């Protein structure tokens, strides 16, 4: 098939898959749209069987790692970790909404960094709703904080975001070096998010709806589960020097919280499989084949013409803003494998600049990241929604400033190293 026709077909399949993720029509489930699009490309000859197999093989370790993290996060939920966190939030907020916001920031940052942004969106968001309800204060600032930090606070570790996992190997960095380079950018982004959100929602944070203190919740943190999470995080840090793939560390953590629950009968095998989000994993694999086809048939060349080479400050800023723009046009998951191969030859700093763009940039629009789309689903389950105009206005305040600050500090950290 001619490259031009293959490119048009691949972009059409990508558009259908993303539209299914946004609109979620009953007649076209997201896994069917993504996997079906990949199959169409192979059947019609836009992508060869060998090329599709290579794309799937490249993604397989990353997808398995993500599945292990999701099972670990579900084990934490099952053990009561998130409910206990909710009780601690209410107890230590002392009926002060601004203090609750600060605690939500701290918890969302920690959960995102250690257990991935999906855990923050799926498991922490309902807890934030419940905590605000118990304090009888507006949940809006706290729910927005969870959404924004799920994206922007996921800069810190490779395990924090699927986009990081997709780019980690290409960066050539160890996990500890990755974290060292991303530490200052992450701090800057979180600080900007705090300043902007606390000002944007100043009215909601002024006072609780009523002054009656919430009832005490006796739940405490499950120590064994906290220990497993801590050991898993330590294992991630030690995996690179020891030459152990992070997948095995994540798998061990997931097994440590899941196998005892299966033995006790508090978890069922089917529930464990559902926790791994197989439908979402199929979407990732399908998009991987579609994006590989589009990239090989012309998108990579077009991006290469737009993105400057090198790792100067201006080059990194350009990479970050191009990545943010592309993420808001086609979603950050497809944007990452398109951009990373283009900039990887210039060294790790441009690869990390891509991550700044695709992780921070999606806070500007609903379609920027799968996590934001998932967040909206959680809001619907809570019988609420957010105004699209309000979402974009808040993103316009946080995203440009965060992109600049994070990229400048990334450039500075790379120069120090």
């Amino acid at each position: 098939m001619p490259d031009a026709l293959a490119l048009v077909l691949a972009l059409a399949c990508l558009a259908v898959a993303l539209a299914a993720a946004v609109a979620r029509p009953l007649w076209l489930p997201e896994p069917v749209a993504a996997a079906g699009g990949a199959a169409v490309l192979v059947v019609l000859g836009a992508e060869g069987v060998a090329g599709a197999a290579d794309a799937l093989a490249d993604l397989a370790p990353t997808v398995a790692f993500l599945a292990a993290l999701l099972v670990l996060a579900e084990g934490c939920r099952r053990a009561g970790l998130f409910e206990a966190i909710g009780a601690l939030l209410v107890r230590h907020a002392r009926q002060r909404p601004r203090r609750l916001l600060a605690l939500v920031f701290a918890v969302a940052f920690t959960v995102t960094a250690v257990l991935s942004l999906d855990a923050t969106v799926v498991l922490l968001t309902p807890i934030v709703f419940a905590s605000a309800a118990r304090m009888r204060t507006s949940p809006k600032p706290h729910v927005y904080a969870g959404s924004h930090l799920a994206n922007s606070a996921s800069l810190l570790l490779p395990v924090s975001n699927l986009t990081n996992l997709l780019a980690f190997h290409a960066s050539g960095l160890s996990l500890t070096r990755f974290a060292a380079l991303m530490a200052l950018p992450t701090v800057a982004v979180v600080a900007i998010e705090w300043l902007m959100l606390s000002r944007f929602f100043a009215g909601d944070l002024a006072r609780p709806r009523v002054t009656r203190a919430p009832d005490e919740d006796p739940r405490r943190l499950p120590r064994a589960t906290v220990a497993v999470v801590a050991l898993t995080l330590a294992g991630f840090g030690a995996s690179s020097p020891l030459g152990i793939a992070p997948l095995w560390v994540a798998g061990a953590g997931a097994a440590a919280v899941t196998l005892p629950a299966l033995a006790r009968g508090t978890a069922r095998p089917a529930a464990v499989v559902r926790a791994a989000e197989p439908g979402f994993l199929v979407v990732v694999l399908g998009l991987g084949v579609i994006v590989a086809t589009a990239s090989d048939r012309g998108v990579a060349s077009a991006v290469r013409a737009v993105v400057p080479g090198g790792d100067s400050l201006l080059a990194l800023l350009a990479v970050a803003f191009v990545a943010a723009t592309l993420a808001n046009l086609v979603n950050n998951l497809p944007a990452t494998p398109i951009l990373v191969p283009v900039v990887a030859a210039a060294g790790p700093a441009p690869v990390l600049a891509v991550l700044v763009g695709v992780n921070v940039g999606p806070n500007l629009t609903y379609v920027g990241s799968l996590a934001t789309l998932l967040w909206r689903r959680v809001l619907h389950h809570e019988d609420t929604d957010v105004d699209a105009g309000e979402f974009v206005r808040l993103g316009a305040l946080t995203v440009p400033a965060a992109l600049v600050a994070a990229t400048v500090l990334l450039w500075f950290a790379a120069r120090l190293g």
Side-chain angles (χ1 to χ4, degrees), residues 79-368:
L81 176 60
F82 290 96
E83 288 80 0
I85 288 173
L88 288 173
L89 288 176
V90 173
R91 187 180 312 135
H92 291 286
R94 299 173 187 170
Q95 201 63 0
R96 293 161 56 188
R98 185 173 292 269
R99 188 178 177 89
L100 176 63
L101 181 63
L103 292 170
V104 169
F105 259 71
V107 172
F109 169 78
T110 303
V111 172
T112 298
V114 177
L115 292 176
S116 86
L117 78 172
D118 299 294
T120 299
V121 169
V122 176
L123 302 177
L124 187 61
T125 300
I127 299 302
V128 170
F129 266 108
S131 300
R134 290 187 63 214
M135 285 182 53
R136 296 169 179 82
T137 189
S138 170
K140 188 182 291 185
H142 317 292
V143 173
Y144 264 109
S147 169
H148 270 235
L149 290 184
N151 286 315
S152 55
S154 66
L155 290 172
L156 184 60
L157 295 173
V159 302
S160 306
N161 197 331
L162 180 56
T163 56
N164 298 4
L165 294 173
L166 292 172
F168 181 48
H169 179 71
S171 72
L173 299 169
S174 68
L175 187 145
T176 51
R177 179 61 178 160
F178 184 105
L181 289 172
M182 286 301 216
L184 287 176
T186 302
V187 170
V189 168
V190 172
I192 289 169
E193 294 282 7
W194 168 260
L195 291 173
M196 296 303 181
L197 264 75
S198 60
R199 290 177 63 88
F200 192 86
F201 294 111
D204 295 283
L205 297 171
R207 62 183 183 276
R209 290 176 182 166
V210 298
T211 58
R212 185 173 69 85
D215 297 330
E216 280 292 321
D217 191 323
R219 280 174 283 197
R220 296 292 183 266
L221 291 173
R223 295 181 180 179
T225 304
V226 172
V228 169
V229 172
L231 289 172
T232 302
L233 184 59
F236 289 146
S239 62
S240 293
L242 295 175
I244 300 172
L247 167 61
W248 300 113
V249 179
V257 297
T258 302
L259 293 179
L262 289 172
R264 291 192 300 267
T266 56
R268 300 295 180 189
V272 174
V273 173
R274 286 195 300 270
E277 296 283 356
F280 178 65
L281 302 182
V282 170
V283 170
V284 172
L285 292 171
L287 286 176
V289 174
I290 296 171
V291 169
T293 304
S295 183
D296 292 342
R297 297 305 181 102
V299 169
S301 299
V303 170
R304 194 174 288 108
V306 174
V307 176
D311 60 355
S312 67
L313 177 57
L314 289 179
L316 296 184
L317 285 168
V319 168
F321 274 87
V322 168
T325 302
L326 191 59
N328 283 291
L329 289 174
V330 303
N331 188 269
N332 65 349
L333 188 58
T336 303
I338 290 173
L339 286 165
V340 167
V342 173
V343 305
V351 174
L352 298 186
V354 168
L355 295 181
V356 170
V358 299
N359 290 357
V360 176
N363 281 333
L364 187 60
T365 64
Y366 284 156
V367 299

